[in-house]
Amino acid sequence: CRGRALLSRVRGAPRALRGLAAGPEMHFGFQSVTEEERREKIYQVFESVAKKYDVMNDSMTLGIHRVWKDILVHKMNPCPGTLLLDVAGGTGDIAFRFINYVRSVREQQLQRKLKRHQNLSWQEIFENYQEDKCNSLGDSQVVVCDINREMLKVGKQKAQQLGYSEGLSWVLGNAEELPFDDDKFDVYTIAFGIRNVTRIDLALQEAYRVLKPGGRFLCLEFSHVNNPLLSRLYDLYSFQVIPVLGEVIAGDWKSYQYLVESIRQFPPQEELKAMIEDAGFFKVDYENLNFGIVAIHSGFKL
Amino acid sequence: AAAGSREQHRDRDPGSRIQEQGSGSARPQPPEPSLLRFLVCPLSKKPLRYEEATNELINEELGIAYPIIDGIPNMVPEAARMTHKKPPAEDSEQP
């Protein structure tokens, strides 16, 4: 349509490269597709799985994904006042954990503050509690950005059901072209999302751009298992069990077939580390969880 | 502005059990006010103006508007609409 053509023309020079992407072959799981097809297919995968996403995560990982996400937030160790951008954060798992974490840190801060004031009157103590009630997050904020409307809808509903409202916002956006200004966020997280980004290098550049100097990049993603025996078992489980679970629980074999294939296509730990360094991050490191089934990569913008 | 702040207050009430039904809802939800501080146009990275009448975020310079659906700003260029009625002049769109 006319609008779309014009919009593509106003994009700056670096982005023009993407216009040529009709040609280059990319992978969608084990299939070979064009860049445009890949984006479409991935969008459809998540549109299809959105409602069953959490249930499937629990079934496939036997609930362990919760521990991985807990570890990510603990590693982040946010203090009250932190501004978090959670990209590909769809259903809100990281965002909710972040909010819980800063809330409990804040409570501990308040406890310590009150303990220090030995001679307060009841009136003063009462007032102390009142003023801090409106600030239970200590001005911390998380913005959840995802490219898929269905995933965001599920996330927003979850937030309402679980009672999360303060300090939480939702944006539909593309990790390769974030709608945020430079140097804005303290932490950028992308949990089980970067694998589905078509141009990882662009996403990493955008991550670098929107982080404040001193800000931290954290990526939680499936990675490569070195141990040959474990690798064999993992492959067996991935290819024999997961798509079946996908069909039984979500009625969607293909999407989960894509999922396990995409894990195999994703760069291993060292390669991802190099890509993160290429984007300009310093002190890039990774931590394997469960022998490399999952890895947390971390980098800083200095 | 008054109508906008009333809606925001409702959204922020932690006890509220109001379920947004999306396309069926009568009143469009405005975005979180804090979010407006962070959002810029993904193309030009320039600030946006919130237009309450159409519930859109407008980039005056490029003449495009991003819709807000169910309170979620839709910040992908594919979703934006042109704000000019006549065929836009090429030079005026150059960032």
Side-chain angles (χ1 to χ4, degrees):
Chain A
C1 91
R2 181 193 57 159
R4 199 186 184 124
L6 202 68
L7 281 172
S8 57
R9 222 172 312 160
V10 303
R11 293 183 188 186
R15 320 248 185 253
L17 288 172
R18 283 205 276 143
L20 302 172
E25 292 281 288
M26 310 202 79
H27 55 81
F28 173 77
F30 291 156
Q31 297 172 42
S32 188
V33 295
T34 65
E35 192 175 297
E36 195 49 53
E37 283 173 343
R38 187 175 194 269
R39 289 173 203 281
E40 277 271 342
K41 283 168 122 66
I42 291 178
Y43 192 91
Q44 283 158 12
V45 163
F46 283 93
E47 199 174 38
S48 160
V49 308
K51 295 207 171 74
K52 290 280 167 70
Y53 186 73
D54 292 334
V55 169
M56 274 305 296
N57 282 347
D58 277 333
S59 328
M60 290 189 298
T61 65
L62 308 170
I64 304 175
H65 74 104
R66 295 165 185 246
V67 177
W68 293 331
K69 289 166 182 165
D70 287 342
I71 294 177
L72 179 70
V73 177
H74 272 80
K75 196 178 171 93
M76 191 197 306
N77 193 19
C79 54
T82 298
L83 234 60
L84 168 65
L85 175 63
D86 182 28
V87 175
T91 55
D93 281 347
I94 302 298
F96 303 151
R97 280 169 172 76
F98 169 80
I99 292 175
N100 292 341
Y101 196 97
V102 295
R103 233 184 230 150
S104 78
V105 170
R106 184 100 180 107
E107 269 170 32
Q108 284 171 23
Q109 279 179 347
L110 297 179
Q111 301 279 12
R112 280 197 298 261
K113 197 171 100 174
L114 282 173
K115 266 199 204 149
R116 270 184 252 130
H117 297 134
Q118 295 299 317
N119 293 320
L120 289 181
S121 69
W122 284 116
Q123 182 65 22
E124 286 169 300
I125 294 175
F126 177 75
E127 274 162 6
N128 234 317
Y129 272 108
Q130 286 301 85
E131 76 181 32
D132 292 316
K133 215 154 216 177
C134 347
N135 208 5
S136 65
L137 289 185
D139 295 323
S140 318
Q141 264 199 291
V142 49
V143 178
V144 179
C145 180
D146 199 295
I147 199 169
N148 195 294
R149 172 160 298 287
E150 294 306 311
M151 294 289 281
L152 285 171
K153 260 169 71 176
V154 171
K156 219 168 171 226
Q157 276 168 19
K158 256 170 75 178
Q160 271 173 348
Q161 282 161 13
L162 298 171
Y164 293 100
S165 57
E166 201 189 331
L168 174 62
S169 8
W170 308 84
V171 176
L172 195 149
N174 187 343
E176 299 168 7
E177 204 162 28
L178 290 173
F180 304 107
D181 209 353
D182 302 0
D183 306 323
K184 276 272 169 298
F185 294 95
D186 296 307
V187 187
Y188 173 112
T189 50
I190 183 163
F192 301 116
I194 203 164
R195 199 177 75 253
N196 303 306
V197 169
T198 300
R199 287 288 301 276
I200 296 177
D201 55 335
L202 292 181
L204 292 174
Q205 283 169 32
E206 282 290 89
Y208 190 85
R209 183 181 65 79
V210 303
L211 276 172
K212 289 182 195 165
R216 188 174 198 181
F217 169 86
L218 284 166
C219 167
L220 173 67
E221 190 53 83
F222 288 109
S223 200
H224 285 240
V225 177
N226 262 333
N227 179 312
L229 174 61
L230 215 61
S231 178
R232 185 97 177 78
L233 290 172
Y234 180 42
D235 280 348
L236 227 86
Y237 181 74
S238 297
F239 288 99
Q240 305 302 329
V241 176
I242 288 182
V244 177
L245 279 180
E247 184 57 40
V248 166
I249 297 180
D252 192 347
W253 175 291
K254 276 168 53 186
S255 293
Y256 289 91
Q257 182 72 25
Y258 159 73
L259 188 128
V260 298
E261 288 176 0
S262 68
I263 293 174
R264 297 303 177 292
Q265 295 287 51
F266 188 68
Q269 288 86 329
E270 283 294 326
E271 205 178 309
L272 183 59
K273 177 177 172 200
M275 290 171 81
I276 297 172
E277 283 168 341
D278 284 344
F281 289 99
F282 287 94
K283 243 188 139 290
V284 180
D285 206 357
Y286 61 86
E287 181 188 338
N288 277 337
L289 303 178
N290 292 120
F291 299 101
I293 293 180
V294 160
I296 298 180
H297 280 73
S298 160
F300 290 89
K301 172 174 178 172
L302 296 178
Chain B
S5 58
R6 248 186 287 126
E7 286 206 12
Q8 289 151 24
H9 183 72
R10 183 188 67 173
D11 269 359
R12 278 166 159 243
D13 176 11
S16 148
R17 304 298 251 143
I18 297 168
Q19 295 288 328
E20 263 62 35
Q21 290 309 312
S23 47
S25 63
R27 246 183 316 177
Q29 286 181 52
E32 289 278 330
S34 51
L35 190 52
L36 296 176
R37 281 193 286 140
F38 303 123
L39 286 179
V40 296
C41 172
L43 296 172
S44 67
K45 313 298 186 198
K46 294 280 173 62
L48 300 160
R49 179 175 62 83
Y50 173 56
E51 176 61 62
E52 199 173 331
T54 54
N55 207 31
E56 288 174 327
L57 291 162
I58 315 248
N59 180 336
E60 299 281 10
E61 193 185 24
L62 294 179
I64 51 181
Y66 297 93
I68 299 171
I69 304 175
D70 302 337
I72 300 176
N74 201 333
M75 308 303 298
V76 285
E78 291 79 13
R81 94 183 158 82
M82 310 295 300
T83 52
H84 302 320
K85 297 289 187 246
K86 53 179 170 29
E90 306 292 75
D91 26 334
S92 71
E93 249 78 34
Q94 290 306 316

